[in-house]
Every structure is written in structure tokens, then in C-alpha cells.
Amino acid sequence: MPPMGFPSDLEIASAAELRPPAEIAGRLGIPEEFLEPYGRTVAKIDLGILTAPGQPQEQRAKYVVVTAVTPTPLGEGKTTTSVGLADGLAQLGKRVAVTLRQPSMGPTFGIKGGAAGGGYSQIVPMDRLNLHLTGDFHAITAAHNLLSALLDNHLHHGNELGIDPRNITWRRVLDVNDRSLRNIVLGLGARADGVARQTGFDITAASEVMVLLSLSSSLADLSQRLRRIVVGYTYAGRPVTADDLGAAGAMAVILKDAINPNLLQTLEGTPALIHCGPFGNIATGNSSVVADLVATRRADIVLTEAGFGADMGAERFMNVKCRVSGLRPDAAVIVVTVRALKAHSGRFKIVAGKPLPEELLAENPDDVRAGIANLRKHIQIIEGFGVWPVVAINAFPQDFDSEHQVIRDLCAELGVKCAVSRHVAEGGAGAAELAQALIDALDHPTHFRYTYESDQSLVSKIEAVATKVYGADGVDFAPAAASALAAYEKLGFGDLPVVIAKSHLSISHDPALKGAPTGWRLPVREVRAAAGAGYVYAICGEMRTMPGFASHPNAERIDLVDGEIRGLS
């Protein structure tokens, strides 16, 4: 929360003087011939740069993942910290790049707002980023829904493959929060209007095409992943793929340009590669592999953000994304706020769209101390991967030094570097202490390790994440989940990594369990295969893949006045 009189994010972004994309690309040694301009301030980077003669083919950068403690519904500032830290490192003479997810328009027009950073640590142009950017989300929506249309068309024209309409797993997507589309019946009307069946919509960020694109390393890899998408099963139980429906080629054509990373910049001119935006709860919650490959071959340090806490995005970054990219992190930044730790004391309730409780804003180091077990657990999670953690205190004007000191004391006890960062109000200069702490941490060698090996069973992989990362006592598989896991092993999916879809508001599956809960078991009610993306995911609790708007969403405050956008945040 910025101080009174502080300009809005949109006002700050609108006043910025942006450098030409060619100049920003030049800071990473990217020749202009590999840029495809989208207007005057955004460009796509031709993926051919990864294999072109004379271009770097090996990693040179230190690779850093930015994660966080278990967030409140407001988020704790991973994006702002990533941006501010990148600018802070650049001020120290480092060649830096930051790679981030593209925001979904669902939250932009909802309550949470956009994801371009905040204050003086933003990605610009802020309005382009939070809206259509280069059209990647629309391309993903179109490719996904083309497959949906071809699937229903196949049913209409006789169902030669013998697809069981009651066992179709492929839905439709839209980049708008629309709860009324969660469950629908389509095909109503005359016989020519298709086969009636029940289905629904997810938000585009939850599309398997989104995460598949984010994990693809080339156009050829993209095409193969599209072919492997499983849309449902036949009456005999055989999986039906996009390739079976003849859809994969057309989908690849739609996504031909979307696979190229988008080049933007911070307010201080640091290169930012913004690409893909997989859902953080049910998918990887990380930006694209190709953006990281481009950046790590050219920068000294690359910062990439992983969604939600270390138990969520960072775990998937380590166990899923790093397996695909072949890159290994050299350090992890854990973002923490005083308000998050106070919330984990269990004494306060934070609700998006409502003012913070007055008692939470009062000076009280004991409230921070009561919730600090959550930070301790996230430090342990990162160290469990053999990676050095650096704790970044994202400072708010309402914080008190005594509350920051509680965090510093824990880090000193654990031998972990810690720094206060005021990048939102001060830009890169406000992240100077954090930048130096990270540089110091990067001097230490890492001993990276996965939570599980590929040849373990799917059951043991899920159990490993639950017990080693979350701290659960074990896993309880519902009968349907156990049957699905056995079937996936027989279908040849057993060597895939796993993703656990759960609440981001607790290290456990239950958002009511704050801090670092112990003495609990993880209940898995359902398991699905994302064969195209290349993982199996277990679902814990009720996961909404199509959000709904609040009673007064941000969309009501956004307007176009004399050609200028107002109210975007």
C-alpha cells in the first residue's frame, strides 16, 4: 500500500520515457534482425536466435528464481521485487534480464488487478502488458477452442473414434472471469446444432495449451506436445489425442508467432522478457522456457518469478520447468511482508478488496513472531532443493523497524542472507541492499536436487512432494484417484513429473491452516493427465479453474477518457 499522495501505478507508467526495443535488446546483445516490432515499445524475439549461427549457445548467466512466503489474497510483491531487484543489480553494473509471466485479463478486470509490478518497479508499457500485449493469450484461446470445436464436430459426424461423451476432459477457455460458464450444456437445438453434452469453460491461464506453450523449447517441440494432448477417452478406455482428431497441425499454425518471447522493459530500461501465464494453482505458474533460454545465454544474472509461495511455483519450477529447460538455479529470493507474517499468526483476516484491519497495521513484533514459522518453512523448502535462499523484506510504509528486526533475527539464526527492499517507492536504488545480498549469495556453490526421480511411481512422487515439501504426514488417495494413477502408469505416463493442485493460501491443502501446519495428511480426490504439457496433476480440495467477479470488480473503474486509459491497476 503506497503512502498518501503517491501517484498511481498507471500515472507513473504513463509518465515514463520508454527506450526503443532495439536499444533494450542491444543491452542483451540481441541483434535487431531477430526483433519483430509490435508498435513502438514492444517487440517479439524470433526463436530462431536460439539456433542461429554466431549466436550464443550456452548458458552464461547466474539463474535466480524469485518466490515468496505463503501469500495473503493481496499478494506479497514478487513481481515488484523481481523488477526492483533487476534494476538494483543493473545499477551495480550487472547485465540483467527479468523473465515474467504475462498477466491474465481476468484478474486485471477483477479485484487483484494486473501484474506489471508497482510504483517505481514496473514493467512498461503497463497498459499494453495488462491488456492484449502481442495477442498471445488470444492465440492460445483460439488454438484451445479450435480443438474443442473439432472434438464436438467429430461427435456430430458419427464419432468414428468411439469417444465416450461422458468421459471427455477437454473444456473451452476464455480470458474473462465468468462464473456462469463454469458448467454449461452445449449442442442444444436442432440436430444440425451438434451433440448435446455437459461441459464448461476455464480461464485461458488454466488451459493446457498455455502451460504446454510455456514448456516448449522449439516449434518442433510445440508441435509434438500439441499432438499428445488427451481430450478424453473412448468407450474402451483408450485415450483420444489432438493428433487423433487431426487438430494439432492447425493449432501449431495458430501458435506459430505466440511461441516467440515478448521483449519489454522496466521503468529504468532493464530488459524484461514477458511470456506465457500458466495458472499458479493447477499448472506450473512459471513463465516460458524459451524466454529463460534466450536470457541466460546473454545476461550476467537472470531473475525469473515463480507463482505464489515456495511450496507452489518454486516447487514446480524446480521439479518440472528445470527438468525441461536443463537450467539449474543458482539462488532463490524469498519475498516476505510483515502483513503476511501477521496474517499467519492466525489473528487477522485479510480479504481482497477490503481495507486491512487497523490492528494489523499497529506496531506489534509479537504478531510477526507468531507467524514467522511460515517463513522458516519456506526457507527449508528452498534449502531442500540444494539452493541458496535470500530473504527479501518487501517494505511497506506502515511497517516498523522492530517488525523487520524479527525477520532479520530469524535469518541470522538460520544463516540466511536478508535485506529490506524499498523498490516500490524508490525503484532500483531502493533494492540496493537486496541486490548486494544476492550477489554475495551467488558466490556460494549450489548442490541442486529434485524432490523425486523420474523413474519413481506417480504415487511416490506425489507422496514425496507432500511430505518433503509441504510437511504432510502422508497422502490419502480417494478410490477414483488411486484408480486413475494405476491407469496412467499402464498408459505410459508413469515417468512424468507431478503437479499438485491445491490452495495457495496455505502450505497445506486447507486455506484455513496458517503458518507451517503439522500433523495433517494431504487428501487427493482426483488425478488428471496433462499429457501434452508433460505432467500428471493431483487435485486436492475444490479448485476453481474459472474465477468469478466480485460485487464491484476493477472493470467498473476502468474507462477510456479522451483516448487515455483510466483506472487500470
Side-chain angles (χ1 to χ4, degrees), residues 429-473:
E433 180 188 353
L434 177 59
Q436 189 58 57
L438 176 60
I439 291 171
D440 293 343
L442 289 172
D443 287 336
H444 297 280
T446 57
H447 303 283
F448 179 78
R449 52 185 173 267
Y450 297 120
T451 305
Y452 51 80
E453 298 303 323
S454 296
D455 58 1
Q456 290 180 233
S457 70
L458 293 172
V459 167
S460 67
K461 291 172 184 174
I462 294 170
E463 289 175 338
V465 174
T467 57
K468 295 180 181 179
V469 178
Y470 304 160
D473 288 348

Side-chain angles (χ1 to χ4, degrees), residues 29 50 59 68 157 193 203 225 350 407 460:
L50 291 176
Q59 176 184 350
H157 286 291
D193 295 326
I203 197 164
R225 290 175 182 273
I350 297 177
I407 300 171
S460 67

Side-chain angles (χ1 to χ4, degrees), residues 53-64:
Q55 294 302 309
Q57 301 296 312
E58 302 293 335
Q59 176 184 350
R60 59 166 280 186
K62 295 289 188 178
Y63 189 43
V64 180

Side-chain angles (χ1 to χ4, degrees), residues 393-450:
I393 302 174
N394 181 18
F396 285 66
Q398 300 89 347
D399 294 353
F400 295 90
D401 290 342
S402 62
E403 297 171 333
H404 289 168
Q405 191 59 46
V406 174
I407 300 171
R408 288 186 183 275
D409 289 346
L410 174 71
C411 292
E413 173 194 332
L414 299 178
V416 171
K417 293 186 180 298
C418 175
V420 174
S421 189
R422 293 181 170 83
H423 47 273
V424 172
E426 302 173 17
E433 180 188 353
L434 177 59
Q436 189 58 57
L438 176 60
I439 291 171
D440 293 343
L442 289 172
D443 287 336
H444 297 280
T446 57
H447 303 283
F448 179 78
R449 52 185 173 267
Y450 297 120

Side-chain angles (χ1 to χ4, degrees), residues 4 16 24 34 67 76 104 139 141 171 191 202 297 300 306 309 323 325 329 365 373 384 422 438 448 458 471 540:
M4 294 294 293
I24 300 301
F34 291 102
T67 183
E76 305 318 308
S104 164
T141 301
R171 291 154 58 91
R191 186 180 186 87
D202 299 326
R297 294 179 183 184
D300 299 327
R323 287 182 198 268
S325 69
R422 293 181 170 83
L438 176 60
F448 179 78
L458 293 172
C540 307

Side-chain angles (χ1 to χ4, degrees), residues 19-45:
R19 286 79 163 175
E23 178 184 333
I24 300 301
R27 297 181 182 187
L28 289 178
I30 297 175
E32 194 168 355
E33 65 190 88
F34 291 102
L35 296 184
E36 182 180 356
Y38 276 70
R40 293 187 293 271
T41 55
V42 176
K44 273 192 170 291
I45 301 172

Side-chain angles (χ1 to χ4, degrees), residues 511-568:
L513 298 179
K514 302 301 184 184
T518 58
W520 60 279
R521 296 179 64 84
L522 182 73
V524 174
R525 65 173 176 85
E526 185 180 352
V527 179
R528 299 177 186 173
Y535 59 81
V536 170
Y537 61 104
I539 301 174
C540 307
E542 186 65 28
M543 297 305 303
R544 292 292 190 188
T545 52
M546 170 56 85
F549 280 134
S551 57
H552 294 287
N554 284 340
E556 296 178 357
R557 296 179 286 277
I558 296 174
D559 200 358
L560 193 65
V561 179
D562 297 329
E564 298 291 330
I565 296 173
R566 302 284 174 83
L568 193 64

Side-chain angles (χ1 to χ4, degrees), residues 69 73 78 98 159 328 343 370 412 521 568:
V69 296
K78 289 189 307 301
V98 58
N159 194 9
R328 300 291 180 265
R521 296 179 64 84
L568 193 64

